[in-house]
């Protein structure tokens, strides 16, 4: 997907200006190292049959937020996938194993698609100026900026959700309002160039939706068949709308208690 011929249905993403420096999102965005990245890292054009997809990695991300969409999007015709982190050191996930990045924030070239996973680590990531600077940089030139689960809060901290409809994990969804977003009870929310998915497994659905946008429905359906994505869970307990109201209320209160302070600090950096 050529960067000089963006998807005509996409509205450009322009991060909200920052007035508060608690999280200095106006810090100069990292630029690729010309000695190591090569000319292609800064070249605005590329093979139109190639789709450049970047996944942002950070400590304590939820692995399925990442591996589900990666399994889908890596199969998109022409996909060139990079796994981007602060360093090339293995990145620990929230379930005990680590992921190996393929490039660093400093060396990553421009992407057509940015995917930000969630997990409790996202609430520390949104307070990291280097990570937020990277997200803002990519948002200015990507065709799609996407998140899975609480990765939406990283987009919010980068100033990308103000005035937009968005979703995230049900337990943390009300806190999206801190970033000027309109929380929506949908599994996938497409608002211009920004696409957010609900909790964890919703990332697979979002990735299949995005695969259809990138390569057409036939290709997306072929990918769904290849990974035999045909959910038939043994229980009907995967939605906050159908779960016990008391359990839902307690979980949301716990999420607010554990994460609310970090959300407030990050939101103060991008909204007056």
């Amino acid at each position: 997907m050529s960067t000089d011929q963006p998807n005509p249905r996409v509205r450009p993403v322009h991060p909200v200006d920052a007035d508060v420096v608690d999280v200095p999102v106006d810090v100069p965005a990292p630029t690729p190292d010309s000695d190591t990245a090569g000319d292609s890292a800064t070249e605005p054009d590329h093979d139109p049959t190639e789709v450049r997809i970047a996944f942002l990695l950070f400590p304590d991300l939820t692995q399925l937020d990442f591996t589900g969409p990666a399994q889908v999007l890596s199969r998109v015709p022409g996909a060139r996938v990079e796994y981007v982190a602060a360093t090339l050191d293995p990145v620990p996930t929230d379930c005990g194993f680590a992921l190996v990045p393929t490039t660093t924030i400093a060396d990553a070239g421009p992407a057509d698609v940015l995917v930000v996973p969630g997990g409790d680590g996202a609430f520390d990531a949104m307070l990291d100026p280097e990570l937020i600077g990277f997200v803002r940089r990519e948002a200015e030139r990507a065709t799609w900026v996407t998140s899975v689960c609480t990765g939406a809060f990283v987009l919010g901290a980068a100033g990308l959700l103000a005035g937009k409809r968005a979703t995230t994990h049900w337990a943390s969804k009300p806190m999206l309002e801190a970033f000027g977003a309109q929380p929506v009870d949908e599994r996938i929310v497409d608002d211009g160039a920004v696409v957010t998915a609900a909790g964890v497994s919703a990332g697979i659905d979002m990735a299949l939706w995005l695969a259809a946008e990138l390569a057409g429905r036939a290709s997306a359906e072929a990918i769904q068949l290849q990974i035999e994505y045909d959910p038939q869970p043994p229980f009907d307990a995967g939605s906050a709308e159908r779960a016990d109201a008391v359990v839902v209320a307690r979980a949301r209160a716990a999420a607010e208690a554990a994460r609310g302070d970090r959300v407030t600090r990050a939101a103060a950096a991008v909204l007056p």
Side-chain angles (χ1 to χ4, degrees):
M1 185 172 294
S2 173
T3 54
D4 62 353
Q5 293 181 328
N7 188 324
R9 64 183 290 278
V10 171
R11 297 189 295 275
V13 179
H14 297 295
V16 174
D17 292 333
D19 297 320
V20 181
V21 295
D22 182 27
V23 184
V25 292
D26 55 350
V27 68
T31 56
D33 185 334
S34 59
D35 293 334
T36 59
D39 294 339
S40 63
T42 56
E43 177 60 44
D45 299 322
H46 67 286
D47 183 347
T49 65
E50 178 183 80
V51 181
R52 300 172 299 190
I53 303 170
F55 285 82
L56 179 60
L57 306 182
F58 47 81
D60 296 323
L61 63 86
T62 293
Q63 66 84 17
L64 186 57
D65 289 4
F66 156 76
T67 54
Q71 191 63 247
V72 172
L73 295 177
S74 64
R75 295 169 183 258
V76 168
R80 191 184 83 189
V81 183
E82 293 278 12
Y83 304 111
V84 187
T87 72
L88 291 178
D89 294 335
V91 178
T93 69
D94 64 358
C95 64
F97 65 80
L99 303 169
V100 180
T102 59
T103 190
T104 66
I105 285 172
D107 292 340
D112 298 306
V113 178
L114 174 65
V115 184
V116 181
D120 192 62
F123 294 90
D124 292 324
M126 71 180 180
L127 297 172
D128 184 324
E130 184 181 23
L131 292 182
I132 295 304
F134 169 76
V135 172
R136 290 169 66 87
R137 182 187 83 192
E138 292 308 305
E140 293 282 9
R141 56 193 187 181
T143 302
W144 299 102
V145 180
T146 74
S147 67
V148 180
C149 194
T150 53
F153 288 89
V154 177
L155 302 190
L160 304 179
L161 296 187
K164 289 187 174 291
R165 300 166 65 252
T167 190
T168 188
H169 189 277
W170 62 268
S172 297
K173 193 179 302 177
M175 289 187 282
L176 285 178
E177 293 181 353
F179 296 102
Q182 177 189 345
V184 177
D185 292 330
E186 295 177 13
R187 195 157 172 86
I188 305 168
V189 177
D190 164 26
D191 193 333
V194 176
V195 182
T196 53
V200 193
S201 63
I204 299 174
D205 295 3
M206 183 274 290
L208 286 168
W209 177 91
L210 184 57
E213 292 291 312
L214 293 168
R217 178 167 177 170
S219 291
E221 289 185 350
I223 293 170
Q224 181 179 5
L225 179 60
Q226 288 167 358
I227 66 173
E228 201 168 351
Y229 181 56
D230 184 25
Q232 300 176 42
F235 312 111
D236 186 21
S239 168
E241 283 69 35
R242 297 188 296 277
D244 183 272
V246 173
V247 174
V248 171
R250 287 175 178 169
R252 282 184 170 148
E256 172 70 30
R259 299 165 170 175
D261 178 66
R262 287 175 287 175
V263 170
T264 298
R265 289 167 55 200
V270 291
L271 295 178

